[in-house]
Amino acid sequence: MLKPKFNNYRNLFDISGIWKFKVDRNNEGVKNKWYNGFEEDSEIAVPGSWNEQLDNLDLLTYVGKAWYAKNIFIPKNFKRKRVWIRFDSVDFHSSLWVNGKFIGNNGSGYLPFDFEISEFVKCGENNIIVLSVDNILTDDTIPQGIQAEYYKNENRLRDETYPAARFDFSPNGGIHRPVYIYTTPQVFIEDIIIKTKLTSENSSKVSLQISTNTKIKGELHINISGSESICKETVELNSDSISLEVAVDNIKLWGLKEPNLYDLSIELVSENKTVDSYSLSFGFREIEVKGTNFLLNGKPVYMQGFGKHEDFPAFGKGFNYQSLVKDFSLMKWMHANSFRTSHYPYAEEVLEMADRNGFLIIDEVPAVSLDFRKVNGGTLKSHKQFINRLVSRDKNHPSVVAWAVGNEPNLVGEESYYDGRGEKYWREVFQTVRELDDTRPVTVPNCQRAGINDPVFLFSDFISINRYYGWYEHPGQIKYGIQLLEREMDDIWNKYHKPIMMTEFGTDTIEGAHSIADQMFTEEYQAKFIEMYIKLLRSKNYVIGEHVWNFADFRTPQHFRRMIFNRKGVFTRTREPKLAAFRLKELWS
Ligand code: BDP
């Protein structure tokens, strides 16, 4: 799925900003025809979660439905164009009406969706756009939800969180990324897949798959350029898609220190007239997992960085450029080179920033803590659909170097996970992603409870483990924890002979808490824990990287284990450094 663009053939307007907002606790919006517009209850900023903006309306922990509305002027000259509306992400489900007409539903969060609304808008006039949103998750959504009754049925009262969630971050609701009105010509370039295969240090094959929305007789003018053009091709088109391969020389590779980017621009020409154009940036780079190594352009790289979250005061999970710039500048300050988009795909602007700054990203599907007692055909279907849409959005980003198609399955440690059900499920999931993309390795971070017989290890190209010895296991005893960790890592290596990535390790830490003895929650404990883990990881040649959990403190559902936030950040939620941030800067320099 291509990002909308503004150019000679396409228009693009960001219609984020202030929208009208109404909570629908009793699910009466449809009955009362709020889709025609509704009396204003309050105003809300888009993008942003409703949770922290409107906690005065008791929305901090709200799980349910709410409505958004905005009047949008559509100019006269859009009449002969195709008009679209695009939401970069809405969590989790939404339904759209334009001028009172139902347009469609979107079933999952964290990813963009669009609808053509040409037939429903009035050009030269105001139009009312209404979106209903609900953030309810169930057994067959990705991520999976949990209902409060389950806790009781499963006799797990002590695990109860408010709001009920299967994961350790707030299930915020709202329009979380920008909203656009855009236009395309009648016939337009619909998708571009670009893959590079290096043939030497400075030459590559480039395979391109270009599709248009409909069959067309014409030409595609293709230009690849860096500081100057390195490839110009014209190909005939007599259908709705074309695949071709070209060879290019004198290229500079995309890498950590020099993230060289190139521009691919395509013009669609029909009857000697350009009817559409599209350009995107990409990099020449290749990823391979081999022996004990993770190779970037044939050379081993070691990933150092974080598991993160999209989470910021007042914005909640709403995209904002300020925290994007701040987080990258802090990561660069401490010499991080990589992060995982735990536990869901982040805004595309994040990937673009990583492309430009040479960061390696493990891009994650929000199949977080799947409970295999509740996994059903619907779950698998949603999971596959999600992977499809994620690959469709992120396939061309050089910074995306691996897919994590889930996180910590079977956190509850169910026996039945190992009786073949888990294996069957993951075989299908891995197959789905590999069919869509044969250029990136695939993994799933495993939790301690699922253990070393986790079926995800059978299919993973590299093994990812999240470990908390010295925190959840053997609290207060880092040294002993490290011994157990070493034993377990060696066992995993001996069993699978696949490189290991430590995708999570860390401790909750209250800024300002200090101790000279090993005392949990102090800044010294966190710094020491991280340093000792890193020392062990670096002593093992089969380890390919370390991602500290977490970059910054983040809001969680309420539970006695969490003092408002998960505090494993090496920065506070407002991005002040804890001691561990300085320690990491030294260790990673
Ligand atoms: C892991 C999860 C992560 C949690 C973390 C923790 O992957 O989402 O936030 O543990 O407990 O199990 O801090």
Side-chain angles (χ1 to χ4, degrees):
M1 183 183 206
L2 297 178
K3 222 182 153 192
K5 287 264 153 118
F6 187 42
N7 64 24
N8 286 334
Y9 311 93
R10 296 164 175 242
N11 293 286
L12 177 65
F13 297 100
D14 188 339
I15 58 165
S16 311
I18 296 294
W19 287 52
K20 287 183 183 179
F21 181 77
K22 200 174 172 89
V23 187
D24 188 4
R25 288 182 199 273
N26 303 320
N27 210 357
E28 60 191 5
V30 172
K31 194 175 76 210
N32 294 334
K33 302 193 174 157
W34 292 0
Y35 47 77
N36 289 322
F38 46 83
E39 263 174 51
E40 190 167 334
D41 219 27
S42 48
E43 295 184 320
I44 192 163
V46 170
S49 302
W50 59 55
N51 308 65
E52 283 177 57
Q53 286 186 66
L54 295 171
D55 49 356
N56 61 319
L57 302 181
D58 205 12
L59 294 183
L60 186 67
T61 50
Y62 180 62
V63 174
K65 207 178 212 182
W67 292 70
Y68 287 72
K70 194 168 173 90
N71 276 316
I72 304 290
F73 182 80
I74 303 281
K76 248 189 196 152
N77 60 356
F78 278 15
K79 233 176 195 149
R80 274 189 301 277
K81 301 178 193 305
R82 300 181 88 132
V83 184
W84 303 77
I85 188 164
R86 159 145 166 157
F87 293 83
D88 271 357
S89 88
V90 179
D91 295 334
F92 294 104
H93 313 103
S94 46
S95 303
L96 176 72
W97 288 262
V98 172
N99 296 327
K101 295 260 162 43
F102 175 69
I103 307 294
N105 298 313
N106 177 59
S108 45
Y110 308 114
L111 286 175
F113 57 94
D114 56 12
F115 293 107
E116 182 171 5
I117 52 173
S118 317
E119 282 178 31
F120 304 96
V121 289
K122 293 177 272 179
C123 295
E125 293 179 39
N126 265 327
N127 293 261
I128 171 111
I129 312 278
V130 176
L131 189 79
S132 75
V133 181
D134 87 62
N135 60 338
I136 300 167
L137 296 169
T138 62
D139 288 344
D140 45 16
T141 56
I142 294 291
Q144 266 188 320
I146 186 166
Q147 320 307 325
E149 310 87 71
Y150 289 9
Y151 291 125
K152 277 188 229 136
N153 299 341
E154 293 166 12
N155 281 335
R156 318 199 284 151
L157 266 184
R158 284 173 66 82
D159 287 344
E160 188 170 342
T161 66
Y162 184 70
R166 282 211 184 275
F167 40 77
D168 189 30
F169 54 92
S170 292
N172 287 7
I175 303 179
H176 280 147
R177 294 180 194 151
V179 188
Y180 301 100
I181 296 283
Y182 71 97
T183 68
T184 58
Q186 292 301 329
V187 179
F188 60 94
I189 300 165
E190 194 170 50
D191 199 16
I192 302 169
I193 304 176
I194 180 161
K195 289 182 184 173
T196 59
K197 180 101 195 102
L198 306 184
T199 41
S200 80
E201 282 231 333
N202 57 8
S203 61
S204 176
K205 282 188 185 148
V206 181
S207 82
L208 289 171
Q209 213 178 305
I210 304 158
S211 43
T212 49
N213 63 314
T214 177
K215 204 173 151 183
I216 178 174
K217 198 166 158 31
E219 281 176 353
L220 289 171
H221 294 187
I222 299 163
N223 186 16
I224 298 177
S225 56
S227 48
E228 55 193 46
S229 174
I230 55 166
C231 172
K232 276 195 168 135
E233 285 281 332
T234 297
V235 287
E236 280 188 22
L237 187 66
N238 199 0
S239 72
D240 59 0
S241 78
I242 191 163
S243 301
L244 68 145
E245 192 174 81
V246 292
V248 290
D249 297 316
N250 296 323
I251 53 162
K252 289 185 181 154
L253 302 185
W254 184 92
L256 292 174
K257 293 220 168 71
E258 288 180 30
N260 295 299
L261 290 175
Y262 286 78
D263 195 58
L264 166 70
S265 82
I266 295 175
E267 288 198 349
L268 176 62
V269 179
S270 175
E271 292 169 356
N272 293 323
K273 228 177 95 198
T274 303
V275 292
D276 190 20
S277 75
Y278 195 90
S279 65
L280 55 82
S281 66
F282 72 99
F284 292 99
R285 64 113 184 85
E286 226 171 75
I287 307 296
E288 199 186 348
V289 177
K290 206 172 170 186
T292 55
N293 291 315
F294 188 90
L295 305 175
L296 171 64
N297 302 332
K299 298 194 183 105
V301 283
Y302 189 87
M303 288 182 263
Q304 51 191 39
F306 298 97
K308 289 184 89 260
H309 265 295
E310 289 187 316
D311 180 75
F312 210 69
F315 293 88
K317 295 204 160 297
F319 172 76
N320 65 92
Y321 282 104
Q322 288 75 4
S323 68
L324 173 70
V325 170
K326 179 79 182 166
D327 286 6
F328 269 84
S329 66
L330 290 174
M331 286 192 287
K332 286 200 301 199
W333 169 75
M334 63 208 308
H335 311 283
N337 65 12
S338 161
F339 59 92
R340 176 168 62 116
T341 69
S342 40
H343 290 306
Y344 38 79
Y346 294 175
E348 210 172 341
E349 288 80 356
V350 179
L351 306 183
E352 291 168 338
M353 188 93 167
D355 291 344
R356 291 192 300 274
N357 287 275
F359 272 75
L360 309 180
I361 291 182
I362 301 177
D363 201 356
E364 189 155 297
V365 174
V368 44
S369 311
L370 286 180
D371 181 341
F372 277 78
R373 292 168 302 183
K374 302 284 180 193
V375 161
N376 58 37
T379 324
L380 182 61
K381 194 169 158 214
S382 311
H383 202 157
K384 288 179 174 178
Q385 275 169 356
F386 200 98
I387 290 173
N388 228 297
R389 286 175 58 186
L390 177 67
V391 175
S392 162
R393 190 195 70 162
D394 293 351
K395 58 190 181 281
N396 294 325
H397 288 282
S399 57
V400 174
V401 296
W403 306 109
V405 288
N407 176 71
E408 297 199 346
N410 202 30
L411 188 61
V412 285
E414 264 296 295
E415 291 285 308
S416 62
Y417 182 54
Y418 307 93
D419 69 7
R421 276 188 62 189
E423 188 175 327
K424 185 164 177 280
Y425 185 92
W426 287 113
R427 173 170 288 117
E428 287 207 37
V429 168
F430 275 76
Q431 197 179 333
T432 302
V433 66
R434 290 196 211 284
E435 276 167 13
L436 293 164
D437 180 23
D438 55 2
T439 68
R440 292 176 177 90
V442 188
T443 192
V444 172
N446 140 283
C447 65
Q448 174 121 39
R449 192 103 180 261
I452 84 162
N453 295 320
D454 192 336
V456 297
F457 289 162
L458 300 174
F459 308 110
S460 295
D461 293 298
F462 60 90
I463 279 174
S464 297
I465 55 173
N466 300 342
R467 290 296 181 270
Y468 292 92
Y469 290 110
W471 186 255
Y472 294 123
E473 282 81 29
H474 311 290
Q477 303 174 64
I478 307 178
K479 233 183 178 166
Y480 180 50
I482 293 285
Q483 282 168 19
L484 298 179
L485 175 64
E486 175 164 25
R487 210 176 303 154
E488 196 193 6
M489 286 195 331
D490 284 344
D491 286 348
I492 295 176
W493 168 254
N494 290 330
K495 182 161 181 191
Y496 297 97
H497 284 278
K498 295 180 182 184
I500 299 178
M501 168 82 200
M502 182 63 87
T503 31
E504 284 185 26
F505 61 107
T507 68
D508 286 82
T509 304
I510 313 293
E511 65 276 19
H514 296 288
S515 168
I516 52 167
D518 284 353
Q519 167 67 61
M520 293 170 76
F521 293 101
T522 62
E523 294 196 30
E524 288 75 15
Y525 192 84
Q526 182 186 38
K528 184 170 174 185
F529 179 101
I530 289 174
E531 186 166 0
M532 287 184 66
Y533 265 63
I534 288 183
K535 220 165 126 204
L536 172 70
L537 297 171
R538 303 245 170 180
S539 73
K540 300 286 174 188
N541 70 338
Y542 55 71
V543 172
I544 56 171
E546 60 211 26
H547 280 173
V548 174
W549 190 256
N550 189 286
F551 173 75
D553 296 351
F554 56 92
R555 188 176 279 282
T556 62
Q558 301 192 47
H559 193 270
F560 52 78
R561 282 205 308 180
R562 298 280 178 256
M563 235 172 69
I564 306 179
F565 309 129
N566 179 315
R567 293 177 183 265
K568 295 194 185 69
V570 303
F571 294 94
T572 63
R573 195 175 187 225
T574 44
R575 278 42 175 181
E576 288 92 27
K578 301 178 193 170
L579 180 63
F582 297 96
R583 192 63 55 81
L584 279 170
K585 178 176 165 59
E586 281 162 27
L587 290 166
W588 285 348
S589 66

